[in-house]
Amino acid sequence: MNARYWQRGETLDYTAEEAVANGQVVSLGNRIGVAGNDIAEGATGALHVTGVYIMDKKASEKITMGAPVYYDAAADEITATEKGNVPAGYAAATAEASDAIVLVNIGDPDGAPAVHNSLALKGEDGKVYDITVATGGTLKATERT
């Protein structure tokens, strides 16, 4: 396979299935993006997939800096609740329960989904290991073959 450079990746070309307003959060299934401009239905525009954004937060939730956060599309807000919501990234600052907003870092410098259910690491032996978290928080390393 021959790969050719396309773009940096902080902003992606996004074709809107329905009209999107500048600054609107867009769910991409396993992550989110933020529209960089108004995008008409069927048109292509800029979708930011990295950076820190001010976003509405679920009322009464305290979210600590570094905690994973999720986009609740039905409520159009950020929450600490994973179940049924889209990974959005992590809190770039602590938001108190009384705060209406939270700073969210939606990107990952490696371009991977903002919230990982697994991780690959290279050991000192040069081998690559897949790291997963089992129930209860136990880490498991499996050598890639």
Side-chain angles (χ1 to χ4, degrees):
M1 172 178 59
N2 182 23
R4 297 179 317 235
Y5 180 83
W6 183 259
Q7 65 191 98
R8 287 179 54 132
E10 293 93 352
T11 302
L12 302 178
D13 296 332
Y14 175 74
T15 302
E17 295 178 7
E18 57 186 46
V20 177
N22 182 16
Q24 184 175 335
V25 174
V26 175
S27 172
L28 300 174
N30 67 347
R31 69 176 309 144
I32 62 169
V34 176
N37 54 294
D38 291 341
I39 309 170
E41 180 180 342
T44 300
L47 190 68
H48 298 286
V49 292
T50 63
V52 177
Y53 293 84
I54 300 168
M55 297 187 179
D56 294 336
K57 179 187 72 66
K58 182 176 180 179
S60 76
E61 276 190 353
K62 178 178 180 174
I63 300 176
T64 57
M65 183 175 190
V69 293
Y70 305 88
Y71 175 59
D72 179 341
D76 196 29
E77 64 189 6
I78 296 298
T79 178
T81 303
E82 178 180 7
K83 187 174 182 175
N85 296 312
V86 179
Y90 62 89
T94 296
E96 298 297 330
S98 59
D99 293 336
I101 60 166
V102 61
L103 292 175
V104 178
N105 187 332
I106 66 169
D108 182 312
D110 297 322
V115 178
H116 306 280
N117 60 6
S118 66
L119 173 69
L121 297 173
K122 185 182 249 184
E124 292 177 350
D125 58 3
K127 296 177 183 175
V128 176
Y129 296 87
D130 289 311
I131 311 298
T132 56
V133 181
T135 304
T138 304
L139 296 178
K140 177 183 174 186
T142 306
E143 182 181 347
R144 279 194 186 169
T145 54

